[in-house]
Amino acid sequence: MVFKRYVEVGRVVLVNYGPDAGKLATIIDIVDQNKCLIEGPANITGVSRQMISYSRLALTDFTVKVSRNARQKSLSAAWAEADVLAKWESSSWAKKLSSKKKRASLSDFDRFKVMVARKQKSAIIAKKMKELK
């Protein structure tokens, strides 16, 4: 198995634990083998510049062209140029996360309506399959 995602300056990451969980950020600098410096940019994603452990990050396929310890202004420009947010929203990973979030926020009655709709759908499919035989 060949690795395709590396910890590198400019790699877009998803924070998966802590107060910024679920937000995108960019690796700005590598501190050591356990930590790196990330920033959102804060005006786009809401993640401020901070040092964070690799265990709290998930590497994405996206990278931006930034220099080491880039300022927020140049980072924001690089994000706009690479169109990272649009690429992220169109990825299957982001769609899966949003559907999980939507499903978790359903009320009991909403879950009931989903169950009834699934039953109706399967009844229609079963009826059509019976007609085809």
Side-chain angles (χ1 to χ4, degrees):
M1 185 171 122
V2 179
F3 293 107
K4 292 186 171 54
R5 300 175 185 163
Y6 299 104
V7 175
E8 59 186 332
V9 173
R11 174 68 61 182
V12 178
V13 295
L14 178 70
V15 181
N16 57 23
Y17 186 79
D20 292 323
K23 295 180 182 177
L24 290 177
T26 310
I27 296 179
I28 299 300
D29 194 7
I30 296 166
V31 178
D32 60 17
Q33 67 183 22
N34 297 316
K35 295 183 207 83
C36 65
L37 185 68
I38 63 166
E39 184 175 358
N43 59 350
I44 298 174
T45 64
V47 179
S48 60
R49 189 172 286 227
Q50 59 188 298
M51 195 165 52
I52 193 165
S53 173
Y54 293 132
S55 62
R56 295 182 174 210
L57 299 177
L59 302 176
T60 65
D61 289 332
F62 311 117
T63 56
V64 291
K65 293 275 186 188
V66 291
S67 61
R68 192 167 154 248
N69 282 326
R71 296 174 186 249
Q72 183 175 346
K73 187 175 179 182
S74 60
L75 186 59
S76 298
W79 266 57
E81 182 185 328
D83 202 21
V84 175
L85 277 180
K87 288 179 185 175
W88 170 252
E89 292 300 326
S90 64
S91 71
S92 61
W93 189 356
K95 290 174 184 173
K96 196 182 303 182
L97 285 176
S98 68
S99 68
K100 272 186 183 178
K101 187 176 179 182
K102 185 178 181 182
R103 202 172 276 153
S105 68
L106 289 178
S107 67
D108 186 44
F109 184 59
D110 291 331
R111 284 190 294 274
F112 173 76
K113 290 192 288 188
V114 169
M115 180 198 70
V116 169
R118 288 181 69 194
K119 281 185 174 182
Q120 289 173 345
K121 178 184 165 192
S122 63
I124 292 170
I125 291 172
K127 184 178 175 184
K128 289 291 183 184
M129 291 300 289
K130 193 174 183 183
E131 286 176 7
L132 291 173
K133 286 186 178 179

